[in-house]
Amino acid sequence: MGLAEAEARISKGFVSAICNPGSDGEHAVPEPILQCVHIKPLAAQQPNGPERYRVVFSDVHNFIQSMLATQATSVIHEGKLKKGSFVQLKSFQANMVKGKMIIIVLDLVILEELGELEKIGDPKPIEMKSDEDSKAQPTTISSNGFYGNQPQQPQQGQTTSLPSRAGGGSSAHPNIYPIEAINPYAHKWTIKVRCTHRGEIKHWHNKNGEGKLFSVNLLDESGEIRATGFNEQCDVLYDLFQEGSVYYISSPCKVQLAKKQFTNLNNDYELTFERETLVEKAEDQQDVPQIRFNFTNIGELQNVEKDTTIDTIGVLKEIGEVSQITSKTTSKPYDKRELTLVDNSGFSVRLTIWGATSTSFDASENSIIAFKGVKVSDFGGRSLSLLSSGSITIDPDIDEAHKLKGWYDAQGHSDTFMSHASMGGAMGAAGGRKDTFKTISRIQEENTGMSETAEYFSLKATIIYVKQDTVSYPACLSEGCNKKVVEVDPGQWRCERCDKTHPKPEHRYIMSINVSDHTGQIWLSCFDEVGRLVMGMSADQLVELKENGDANAAVEVFQEANCKTWIFRCRAKMDTFQDQQRVRYSVASAHAVNYGAEANRLAETLKLYNMV
């Protein structure tokens, strides 16, 4: 499309209309089309803070500065919004900051059909009217709203709310700011927010005295922020805040850099309630969004760094009993409950909830549960722990929950799931790193296991031969022993370690298998748990087949074990046999191939080669 056609689409006069409402009503359009003439990334206020961008838009006559809300920055990350491109603003808010009008863009659409052109016209900065009555008032703009309307002014004699107390009615709040625009330099603001989480009251003691505090997580269309009340404000506000309710909160309220160790929210700042802070429950409870999630699926946890805070959603597969642990630092007991979640990635994960949350937890198995604010741990491969600032939503009415429910009812209830513990959370000797998938040729080329410490890796391979001469050994029946026993007399099996005699042994697998992939072959040593998977029966059952003279049945068992593909988690370590050193590859665990998870893994591998 040419320059003339693009210029005809631009909403000329929009900047003047929004900066001087009422004086240019004919150009007031709810979803303006503008040209992007400049993009500038802004430095994060804290390490690992959210990326922010300042964008300058032009309507041909004038230009205006804007900030992209966090949820709108994807158009830059995806390379869609560029200098010279054209956009349609679907939702935004206008605010006066230090005498200048800026807009916070909450949602926009890139008009790709208009292409990217050089700056059209010679746009100038807008001149603000000095008349106090015609100053622009911050207001929310969306496809079902409109800008330029003068907000209702409080009537003479109207009562105002007492500091930090709930107002009984709906007062006029003309200066509604988005959370995204709150910073230490903003003054005389009001935010309209939903309380998505209210933490328990915590008491603290130190050399300077003692006190108490509580925190709430607050949400609007532009983002989230944490707010904390201490001592007196804790007494006044704690009962006022209820999860799910909407509130007006007005300055004075301290804005400071967020303490990231205490919050899981994606915001550089946090609030501290002051004595004069106004908190009112809103009459209109519907026009603020519900809790916002940024889900990580369970299959992706292996790629998430330890101690990262995430949101996740899954089907509640198992519910553990409440148990207690004692803190090593405070010697205080803590209640905990372990849950097992699964999703359509083919993986399961253990998630721990704590304190009152664990004792009051009343969801039933097979429920869909969304968790906001869980910490990723590398204990047992990958596991999750709900933070004190986190929240639980049972059977949420969101698309992700409906899709999971449909999948689980249709097929997921009968699927088997891979745990991150079996995928390679080998710690200690493994150096605290996750296992790597390797091919057989790579194992041999890299001399895996030749170092002083054991090395762990995962391998997808097919069994081509099971060595039959030594498949099992007679083991002690004493719990936890498993040592080899010797038949001293008929019906008398002696264990030297336990100094006990048993009427019979328990046969346990100790077998060698030859496996192959597309790059080569390798011998692996397997023990009882893996042997049961591979052979499809216990070693006692296999021995019984042989002793009963049913040789053909025993041969069939070995043949059935061949040509099956498994995911093996292996340990490679130098071993000495008959005065010669060699690398021994032993199987720590194995599971059947989950083709959905395997397809995802292969897709990630292809990305490393820039093929997709």
Side-chain angles (χ1 to χ4, degrees), residues 16-255:
S16 176
I18 196 169
C19 291
N20 300 302
S23 63
D24 202 4
E26 65 177 301
H27 297 298
V29 292
E31 297 183 357
I33 295 176
L34 305 170
Q35 184 183 25
C36 171
V37 295
H38 184 69
I39 302 174
K40 180 182 179 181
L42 301 178
Q45 296 290 330
Q46 290 192 2
N48 301 319
E51 291 182 291
R52 296 171 181 268
Y53 294 90
R54 177 174 294 159
V55 181
V56 179
F57 290 116
S58 164
D59 68 358
V60 178
H61 301 318
N62 301 103
F63 62 78
I64 190 169
Q65 294 194 33
S66 71
M67 291 272 293
L68 294 189
T70 305
Q71 73 266 24
T73 57
S74 59
V75 293
I76 293 181
H77 299 155
E78 296 169 4
K80 294 180 179 179
L81 180 61
K82 300 177 182 178
K83 182 179 179 180
S85 58
F86 297 84
V87 305
Q88 184 169 31
L89 305 186
K90 308 293 288 186
S91 180
F92 59 95
Q93 292 183 328
N95 291 282
M96 185 72 70
V97 178
K98 294 183 179 180
K100 293 183 178 180
M101 181 65 72
I102 66 167
I103 55 176
I104 308 298
V105 179
L106 306 174
D107 187 22
L108 74 166
V109 175
I110 309 301
L111 304 179
E112 297 180 359
E113 69 274 13
L114 297 182
E116 299 165 19
L117 300 174
E118 292 295 322
K119 181 174 64 176
I120 298 178
D122 184 21
K124 300 288 192 297
I126 189 70
E127 293 184 6
M128 302 293 296
K129 287 192 175 183
S130 59
D131 184 0
E132 203 57 34
D133 292 334
S134 61
K135 283 186 177 179
Q137 298 288 351
T139 180
T140 302
I141 303 99
S142 62
S143 56
N144 57 2
F146 209 71
Y147 65 81
N149 297 327
Q150 290 286 354
Q152 180 182 352
Q153 300 296 323
Q155 296 178 0
Q156 292 290 332
Q158 181 176 347
T159 59
T160 58
S161 302
L162 293 175
S164 300
R165 299 200 179 268
S170 176
S171 302
H173 292 279
N175 298 317
I176 300 297
Y177 271 58
I179 286 176
E180 185 82 10
I182 298 297
N183 62 71
Y185 310 104
H187 302 287
K188 296 183 180 179
W189 50 261
T190 297
I191 53 176
K192 186 177 183 182
V193 291
R194 188 179 301 277
C195 174
T196 58
H197 173 76
R198 184 191 69 174
E200 297 177 5
I201 294 177
K202 296 181 180 180
H203 297 265
W204 48 268
H205 307 267
N206 58 33
K207 62 182 181 180
N208 297 321
E210 59 183 38
K212 55 187 174 181
L213 62 89
F214 83 102
S215 295
V216 289
N217 292 348
L218 307 172
L219 166 76
D220 72 3
E221 282 187 336
S222 70
E224 296 176 274
I225 195 166
R226 179 175 182 258
T228 302
F230 291 88
N231 299 325
E232 181 184 349
Q233 300 312 306
C234 182
D235 293 332
V236 173
L237 296 176
Y238 185 77
D239 291 333
L240 171 60
F241 279 105
Q242 300 295 323
E243 291 185 3
S245 295
V246 177
Y247 300 87
Y248 292 107
I249 301 175
S250 302
S251 59
C253 187
K254 186 177 181 181
V255 182

Side-chain angles (χ1 to χ4, degrees), residues 184-444:
Y185 310 104
H187 302 287
K188 296 183 180 179
W189 50 261
T190 297
I191 53 176
K192 186 177 183 182
V193 291
R194 188 179 301 277
C195 174
T196 58
H197 173 76
R198 184 191 69 174
E200 297 177 5
I201 294 177
K202 296 181 180 180
H203 297 265
W204 48 268
H205 307 267
N206 58 33
K207 62 182 181 180
N208 297 321
E210 59 183 38
K212 55 187 174 181
L213 62 89
F214 83 102
S215 295
V216 289
N217 292 348
L218 307 172
L219 166 76
D220 72 3
E221 282 187 336
S222 70
E224 296 176 274
I225 195 166
R226 179 175 182 258
T228 302
F230 291 88
N231 299 325
E232 181 184 349
Q233 300 312 306
C234 182
D235 293 332
V236 173
L237 296 176
Y238 185 77
D239 291 333
L240 171 60
F241 279 105
Q242 300 295 323
E243 291 185 3
S245 295
V246 177
Y247 300 87
Y248 292 107
I249 301 175
S250 302
S251 59
C253 187
K254 186 177 181 181
V255 182
Q256 59 192 10
L257 288 175
K259 299 179 180 67
K260 291 299 184 179
Q261 68 269 34
F262 300 124
T263 179
N264 59 291
L265 302 184
N266 189 22
N267 198 318
D268 286 339
Y269 301 108
E270 64 184 16
L271 305 177
T272 299
F273 296 124
E274 298 181 347
R275 187 175 182 181
E276 301 301 317
T277 303
L278 300 174
V279 180
E280 301 172 86
K281 192 168 185 178
E283 283 188 350
D284 183 0
Q285 297 279 311
Q286 303 302 318
D287 62 344
V288 177
Q290 301 291 333
I291 187 169
R292 180 181 289 117
F293 297 98
N294 183 20
F295 291 124
T296 298
N297 76 42
I298 297 172
E300 294 173 348
L301 292 178
Q302 200 68 32
N303 301 318
V304 177
E305 290 292 327
K306 175 179 177 290
D307 295 331
T308 301
T309 301
I310 64 165
D311 305 337
T312 194
I313 187 171
V315 181
L316 183 59
K317 191 72 172 176
E318 296 176 6
I319 306 172
E321 296 295 327
V322 175
S323 60
Q324 274 196 346
I325 62 169
T326 301
S327 169
K328 292 181 180 179
T329 54
T330 64
S331 298
K332 292 182 179 179
Y334 290 93
D335 293 320
K336 73 167 190 171
R337 188 195 294 265
E338 292 188 349
L339 312 174
T340 300
L341 298 180
V342 300
D343 68 8
N344 54 5
S345 68
F347 280 82
S348 67
V349 69
R350 187 181 72 255
L351 189 151
T352 304
I353 55 178
W354 303 88
T357 304
S358 68
T359 55
S360 62
F361 185 78
D362 61 354
S364 57
E365 290 186 357
N366 303 328
S367 299
I368 308 297
I369 304 191
F371 293 87
K372 184 170 185 63
V374 292
K375 185 177 181 180
V376 179
S377 166
D378 59 4
F379 180 75
R382 279 294 184 271
S383 58
L384 302 174
S385 179
L386 182 67
L387 298 174
S388 60
S389 60
S391 62
I392 300 175
T393 307
I394 301 172
D395 292 323
D397 186 15
I398 55 178
D399 289 343
E400 292 89 346
H402 300 321
K403 290 176 183 177
L404 266 182
K405 183 66 174 174
W407 159 79
Y408 190 74
D409 290 345
Q411 68 176 78
H413 64 279
S414 59
D415 284 356
T416 56
F417 296 91
M418 214 178 333
S419 73
H420 289 285
S422 64
M423 279 295 295
M427 299 295 126
R433 293 171 294 181
K434 65 181 183 180
D435 298 346
T436 302
F437 263 92
K438 293 187 177 184
T439 61
I440 292 174
S441 63
R442 182 179 169 190
I443 294 166
Q444 295 166 341

